[in-house]
Amino acid sequence: MISQSLSDLWHGFGVALLPANLLWSFVGVLIGNLIGVLPGMGALSAISMLLPLTYTMAPIPAILMLAGIFYGSQYGGAIGAILLNLPCHPPHAVTCLDGYPLTQQGKGGTALGITMISSFFAASVGIVVMILASPLLVRIAFQFGPAEIFSIMLLGLLAGATMSRGSPLKGIAMTAIGLLLGVVGTDVSTGTQRFTLGITALDDGVELVALALGLFGVAEFLRSVNRMQAVGGSATMRLRDMRPSLAELRQSFWPMVRGTAIGTLFGAMPGTGPTITTFLAYALERKIARDPSRFGRGAIEGVAAPEAASHSKTQVDFIPTMSLGIPGDAVMALILGALLIQGIQPGPQLITEHADLFWGLIASFWIGNVLLMVLNVPLIGLWVKLLQVPYRYLYPSALFFIAVGVYSTNHNLAQVWEVLAFGVVGAIFAALDFPAAPILLGFVLGPLVEENFRRALLLSRGDLTVFVERPISAGFVAASGLLIAAQLFFWLRAGQSRRRDRISGVVLPATAPIADE
Amino acid sequence: MRRFPGLGDRKDFLGGLLILVLGLATGVQASSYDIGSLRRMGPGFFPLGLGVILGVTGVLLMLTAKSPTPPAERLAPEWRGWLCICAGIAAFVVLGQWGGLIPATFAVVFIAARRPAEHGEGFGGAGRGDDGGLRPGVLVAAAGAIPTVTLGLNR
């Protein structure tokens, strides 16, 4: 089975190295890196802005480019986090904790070098895991009927809603809103117009690009207008600064390995976001460190572990997305949406039916990561300059790209209204501390969830026990139950300790539980 | 431990209320479609379920709203900035409809660039000898118009 995988992978390298595919992969990595570096822009806005471009491309280059944008922007985000203390992308918030103190000590270059090495290492491990795990998963996945698909999606949605940072109830509410947005449009089996509010433009449903750009582009601008501090730091970076010493390498080797392990573990679990992964990796390092007080003051381990975790998670995340159609987070949901638009149905048959796409993608990950390394060595100086682009240039141009991007999707101006509407709605939700990412997850999965729910109950003649009678499905349902039980437990325990604190008169500052460990 | 929910954290409480209202609206709208039975579901079944979930979550959110915490730092509303962003996008649609993409491009960029640049520096960044967002506007719009035309998007 492994030899089959290896020969498929060999074929994949052939696909990924075709000049056209290689070019798109390179373009994706370059643009992703560029957008990721810019303050206030993360993988989500990068991918949703460029999604319309891929509609006219063939499926393979389109997916290769989107994947390239994804890991390119992730890497770019780390640069802003380390050099300027700007967490452009939530998972990098942890990297700031120790990355920026390192910059202040004049060792920002070393931190970037370590970041580069650990992301490359972690991505390579993630790719190996993908190669080993995919054939196994395919065998299991072939036993999946509608009931199993519904239960695993339920688990993924619940995990996405409750395991991100913030209130789990709010996450659940946002997931339901996303599912509801997925319902909008013409019902496939009866032709009924649902929730179109009499607007003809909504007959075909809500446009994915408009939703994503509204929630993560316009809403973000509405929130950050005039609140982005201009960055005056004039950090210069030379190639020589980026080479870590042998001692620093040795110091960050095990954190790198542990971070990779955490990322791999969480990547395989559908619905767990990247932020929680990086926070866990950081917390673990601090817990086992001989001198935990070094953390937060420029410990190189505090950069290596979370960066490794986020990159290995990125790679492994593609397994549930491609083979089961369950995206791990909002970015994966966008990539899943792109696959669906290209007419490719993710699922166990994807690996066998679209072998060139799947293995080509895996091969391109590795090639893309090599490209990233090669690209960042000479361009690091340019990225540092880009970080200082004034916000007043940046954001009108981003707004322009959003408007034109959405319009060009279908040459439909009505969808630009959609962007504006979702932007305002997203800003209101954000102001009330609701997370936006579960909306996208729910939206992409919504139609699939409904279809499989209906089909499963049609097959079982309306018998709801079908979801617990089949062993695989029962496992997912049990896991969902456990997840809810665990949340209830934590909530009750937090309530108890709050009450205790009130009695003893101690007022604790409200902090995120994970970041505080 | 819990007092009257209306006196709790206004943010959580308002959020819960919003979700409850959305859930109710969804439920009402969904029940106007054919619900069907578990065995053969109609188009209204799934949305009705979502409406119920939303409603329950909304009520739970309102009940568990935390007691008010002292506001750390209240950020002043940025009406002008918000208006500029929204108006920019709206202008793109309206001008795109009647005048093609080039005027639309300039409109979105110019209106969006006319927001105050930094705190306490006057509107449009004029406080720093800037020209009210004119320079970034022209640069960005020109840069944007080129691909718009060359890529043949101006249909």
Side-chain angles (χ1 to χ4, degrees), chain A residues 135-217:
Chain A
L136 259 167
L137 204 68
V138 170
R139 264 203 308 193
I140 303 169
F142 268 118
Q143 301 168 10
F144 272 41
E148 281 81 10
I149 295 180
F150 172 77
S151 325
I152 195 177
M153 282 185 177
L154 183 74
L155 175 62
L157 286 172
L158 263 176
T162 57
M163 291 186 63
S164 55
R165 281 157 38 80
S167 152
L169 269 179
K170 288 185 171 176
I172 289 176
M174 287 300 102
T175 310
I177 298 270
L179 288 169
L180 191 64
L181 286 172
V183 165
V184 173
T186 313
D187 177 33
V188 216
S189 40
T190 55
T192 317
Q193 308 280 324
R194 296 190 292 180
F195 296 96
T196 54
L197 311 171
I199 303 168
T200 28
L202 286 178
D203 285 357
D204 286 337
V206 173
E207 170 65 40
L208 173 69
V209 177
L211 179 68
L213 278 179
L215 288 180
F216 302 105

Side-chain angles (χ1 to χ4, degrees), chain A residues 228-477:
Chain A
M228 285 294 264
Q229 263 95 48
V231 199
S234 56
T236 46
M237 197 59 57
R238 277 168 313 159
L239 248 179
R240 200 142 33 95
D241 302 332
M242 288 181 61
R243 216 169 26 218
S245 71
L246 205 64
E248 283 161 335
L249 263 181
R250 204 173 306 136
Q251 204 181 350
S252 47
F253 178 73
W254 284 110
M256 203 157 89
V257 173
R258 284 188 290 262
T260 308
I262 289 180
T264 311
L265 203 68
F266 274 78
M269 254 195 268
T272 48
T275 315
I276 195 151
T277 318
T278 52
F279 269 101
L280 273 178
Y282 186 82
L284 177 73
E285 281 313 312
R286 202 158 66 166
K287 196 139 258 176
I288 63 173
R290 226 171 281 152
D291 178 16
S293 66
R294 278 194 316 121
F295 282 82
R297 288 196 217 134
I300 195 86
E301 298 97 313
V303 175
E307 283 302 312
S310 88
H311 278 260
S312 62
K313 174 172 165 46
T314 305
Q315 298 302 333
V316 179
D317 236 2
F318 274 91
I319 303 179
T321 308
M322 305 284 279
S323 58
L324 295 171
I326 315 287
D329 55 24
V331 179
M332 280 297 149
L334 265 181
I335 291 187
L336 184 72
L339 277 174
L340 290 171
I341 287 163
Q342 293 279 357
I344 294 168
Q345 183 76 45
Q349 70 284 1
L350 182 133
I351 299 176
T352 40
E353 265 173 34
H354 298 279
D356 48 346
L357 179 114
F358 183 77
W359 294 103
L361 183 65
I362 291 192
S364 94
F365 288 152
W366 207 77
I367 296 170
N369 275 296
V370 174
L371 283 177
L372 258 183
M373 289 272 263
V374 174
L375 215 79
N376 271 287
V377 170
L379 287 183
I380 187 77
L382 181 70
W383 299 146
V384 172
K385 284 220 180 59
L386 255 179
L387 271 171
Q388 288 147 17
V389 168
Y391 202 54
R392 65 176 188 278
Y393 285 88
L394 193 69
Y395 111 104
S397 25
L399 214 54
F400 157 75
F401 276 115
I402 289 174
V404 169
V406 174
Y407 170 69
S408 61
T409 316
N410 293 329
H411 290 287
N412 186 349
L413 277 170
Q415 285 172 352
V416 186
W417 286 126
E418 273 178 45
V419 172
L420 183 56
F422 286 126
V424 174
V425 169
I428 292 172
F429 277 141
L432 291 169
D433 291 340
F434 283 98
I439 301 184
L440 201 64
L441 208 60
F443 173 72
V444 172
L445 288 184
L448 300 168
V449 170
E450 183 182 9
E451 193 190 322
N452 284 295
F453 184 59
R454 276 163 106 162
R455 204 182 287 163
L457 284 176
L458 197 66
L459 291 175
S460 75
R461 295 164 201 277
D463 186 5
L464 274 171
T465 53
V466 66
F467 295 113
V468 286
E469 264 170 4
R470 302 176 58 119
I472 299 178
S473 171
F476 292 134
V477 171

Side-chain angles (χ1 to χ4, degrees), chain B residues 47-66:
Chain B
L48 185 66
L50 287 177
V52 172
I53 293 175
L54 275 175
V56 171
T57 324
V59 171
L60 283 177
L61 271 173
M62 281 158 72
L63 286 177
T64 57
K66 284 189 244 54

Side-chain angles (χ1 to χ4, degrees), chain A residues 170 194-195 222 226-227 395, chain B residues 12 33 43 76 82 115-116:
Chain A
K170 288 185 171 176
R194 296 190 292 180
F195 296 96
L222 284 173
N226 282 357
R227 281 173 199 160
Y395 111 104
Chain B
D12 283 354
Y33 309 126
W82 293 336
R115 87 224 190 327

Side-chain angles (χ1 to χ4, degrees), chain A residues 116-126 253 256-258 260 308 312:
Chain A
M116 214 190 251
I117 294 168
S118 39
S119 33
F120 185 75
F121 172 78
S124 305
V125 172
F253 178 73
M256 203 157 89
V257 173
R258 284 188 290 262
T260 308
S312 62

